[in-house]
Amino acid sequence: MRLRHRISGWLLSAMVLIMVAFILLPVFYMIIMSFKSGAEIAQNPVGLPESLNFDNYRNALSKMNYTRSVLNSVGITLSVTVLVSFIGSLAAYPLARHTNPLARALVLLMALGLSTPNFVTITPIYVIFRDIGLLDTYLGLILAFTALNLPLAVFFYTGFIRGIPIELEEAARLDNCSEFRIFWHVIRPLLGPATATLSLFVMLMVWNDFTYPLLLLTDESKFTVMISVYRFVGNHNLSPSDLFPAAVLGSLPLLVLFLFFQRRIVSGVTAGAVK
Amino acid sequence: MRTLRRYRIFLFTLPAILVIGMFFVYPILLSLRLSFTDFTGVGIASDVGWKNYERIFTRSRYLDAFKVTIFFTVIVVFIQTIIGLFFAALLHRLPAVRNLCRAALFTPAMMSFVIVGYVWQFIYSPFNGGLNAALASIGLDGLQHNWLGDPNTALFAVAFAHIWMFIGYTTAIFLAGYANIPSEIEEASKLEGASNWQRFRHIEVPLLASSFTINITLSTIGTLKTFELPFIMTRGGPDGATRTLSLHIIDSLFGKYKFGFASALSIIMLILVVLVAFLQNRYLRSREENT
């Protein structure tokens, strides 16, 4: 009976693993195809490549402006993370510790930010940016991404700060610390883990988003990775030997990040959603 | 004086209020104002009253876009929830492979819409695309099809790519819900001799009510405003079969420079999203309380 139970468990596990592998097929397909030349794809559209041919990658790297756009994405991500974590945690501190009509109104304001689709605000943001000269600048993009991530950050930090014992603050208050000093020297140092999870989110968001940079940037030297992929692949009428290396190059940095931090990312997603 | 001091700490929220004001509140108000004009992005806008809205509600192409958006959302939310629940229920019973599978299922969500869109566009492509080639190699040539080129299958094909991308999210949230089910309840039902299916149907599904709420709400909002996949994969074609509301907004905005009209569409979209999210949330929460 027990043995039968165990064997059926193994069988079930094997079945699930096969199903999951099946779901991952497009990812393997993308990697396999990135090594095939156009001619090889025409002859042998699904099989393994004959040899590991890096010509596609060489071509994509030189034409995609890859290094520059990776640096742009990284720079923008870092700036957004710093801004979002500072502004977000600062706002979360009073929201976590006080419940009054003002706090409730602010929570509602954040909820509005969280549920507004990008599209509703993109036209006016475009117009505003054009009028004040923020179109086609790093600063404009950084501010737009900061706003996009801020509401979630506030909720995230609010939940986290509620978990910090209030006695720590009260002790500091007895020593006549100002509220800002309490925030900076007592609360802020404890927010490290929350900030780490949040940064992963921001990274994911900024790296993968293509709506804002598509609409707000025209200067090629400022393109983020996804816009480079979009321009490079889109211009070539979906030639597979351009598409697949570009897709691998565009996904790889984040997939590697995910590999290392997957537990943190998944638990962050579920905690963010469940709270 | 004391109340003043009590509120002084809310000065900390000022930067956040400024950012939210500049990027959400003011744009929404500006959108509302622009939606009653014929603004083209340059020059002076003149008032046109309700004309933009009238256009939206009387032209069949916009009503079709509504239908496409809603239909797309319904398919995606329904199938994604079922598959996510299926994987979560299985993985919950298989602790040995749980973490590995959860991470693997999550991988597509780490990729960008642009990349997912392009890769799937190629998989669906009629000539040497992965799907048709795979069908041929297992002898099912008869099933080969121009997936994105046929108005009858295009929307399903795009929806499938969307579902593929977010299965991991749904599964992870359901698994978090499973983790919250007290083990005593499961032990007790096992002792009572309940079968796997009975346990799933009568114990797990009711106890997962809040996970259902979160999953359905999140995927509904996310899918309603979808733009990237249809934009990349089909540009709204063939024959408008995948032209969603948000695709119309981008098209009116940057294709035709009809800022006033795009604003009216945006306002309608905002109302749609808020309304659907509100009604759905209320219904799902009342369902939670009844179980």
Side-chain angles (χ1 to χ4, degrees), chain A residues 23-24 29 87 90 106 113 119-120 123-124 130 147 204 208 210-211 226 230 234 243-244 251 258 262-263 269-270, chain B residues 12 16-17 23-24 27 31 41 99 103-104 110 112 114-115 118 122 130 164 169 172 227-228 231 235 250 253 266:
Chain A
I23 286 185
L24 283 185
Y29 179 73
I87 300 177
L90 196 62
L106 288 172
F119 288 95
V120 176
T123 318
R130 197 191 51 193
L204 200 71
N208 282 342
F210 108 116
T211 317
M226 281 316 139
Y230 173 70
L243 159 63
F244 290 103
S251 311
F258 175 62
Q262 60 93 1
R263 211 155 279 182
V269 167
T270 45
Chain B
F12 287 6
I17 295 175
F23 285 90
F24 291 102
S31 235
N99 288 340
M110 294 298 110
S112 159
V114 182
I115 288 169
Y118 278 137
F122 193 79
W164 175 77
Y169 257 96
F227 142 75
E228 290 91 343
F231 179 78
R235 297 263 162 178
I250 291 298
L253 192 56
S266 314

Side-chain angles (χ1 to χ4, degrees), chain B residues 87-280:
Chain B
F87 274 116
L90 276 178
L91 293 178
H92 173 65
R93 289 165 170 74
L94 303 167
V97 293
R98 187 187 302 152
N99 288 340
L100 176 73
C101 288
R102 190 179 56 184
L105 286 175
F106 216 86
T107 310
M110 294 298 110
M111 291 162 67
S112 159
F113 276 117
V114 182
I115 288 169
V116 169
Y118 278 137
V119 168
W120 277 92
Q121 190 185 350
F122 193 79
I123 292 176
Y124 286 133
S125 86
F127 314 106
N128 60 46
L131 183 54
N132 280 350
L135 285 173
S137 71
I138 53 171
L140 290 172
D141 303 60
L143 290 177
Q144 286 189 345
H145 191 76
N146 184 0
W147 304 98
L148 291 173
D150 177 351
N152 293 317
T153 52
L155 192 66
F156 291 98
V158 177
F160 190 81
H162 195 106
I163 294 165
W164 175 77
M165 206 173 158
F166 292 109
I167 279 296
Y169 257 96
T170 313
T171 308
I173 292 173
F174 273 127
L175 275 174
Y178 265 113
N180 286 333
I181 297 179
S183 54
E184 295 84 29
I185 296 184
E186 288 201 62
E187 295 300 326
S189 63
K190 266 186 209 166
L191 285 177
E192 302 262 323
S195 73
N196 264 319
W197 171 252
Q198 283 171 328
R199 264 163 51 213
F200 173 74
R201 177 66 195 83
H202 297 289
I203 293 170
E204 293 166 12
V205 170
L207 285 174
L208 288 173
S210 67
S211 307
F212 274 99
T213 307
I214 296 154
N215 266 325
I216 293 177
T217 311
L218 282 182
S219 52
T220 305
I221 295 179
T223 318
L224 268 183
K225 51 188 193 186
T226 198
F227 142 75
E228 290 91 343
L229 287 186
F231 179 78
I232 295 278
M233 291 170 76
T234 58
R235 297 263 162 178
D239 205 17
T242 59
R243 192 173 296 136
T244 58
L245 262 185
S246 36
L247 216 59
H248 262 302
I249 296 178
I250 291 298
D251 201 34
S252 322
L253 192 56
F254 293 93
K256 301 181 189 128
Y257 296 102
K258 291 201 242 169
F259 283 54
F261 185 69
S263 301
L265 274 175
S266 314
I267 293 295
I268 291 188
M269 178 137 168
L270 178 65
I271 295 173
L272 181 74
V273 170
V274 170
L275 199 72
V276 168
F278 175 76
L279 290 177
Q280 204 179 44

Side-chain angles (χ1 to χ4, degrees), chain A residues 4 14 17 54 65 67 78 88 97 110 113 125-126 134 181 186 231 235 238 251-252 259 268:
Chain A
R4 222 187 78 195
L17 284 173
F54 284 92
N65 214 355
T67 324
L78 287 178
R97 294 300 191 214
M110 297 299 146
I125 287 177
Y126 182 82
L134 280 179
R181 282 184 61 118
V186 180
R231 286 297 189 86
N235 281 343
L238 220 61
S251 311
L252 202 62
L259 214 63

Side-chain angles (χ1 to χ4, degrees), chain A residues 157-180:
Chain A
Y157 277 123
T158 306
F160 197 85
I161 293 175
R162 286 214 179 104
I164 298 174
I166 201 159
E167 288 77 18
L168 290 174
E169 287 165 42
E170 277 162 355
R173 213 161 277 142
L174 285 179
D175 290 340
N176 258 333
C177 274
S178 73
E179 285 296 331
F180 187 77

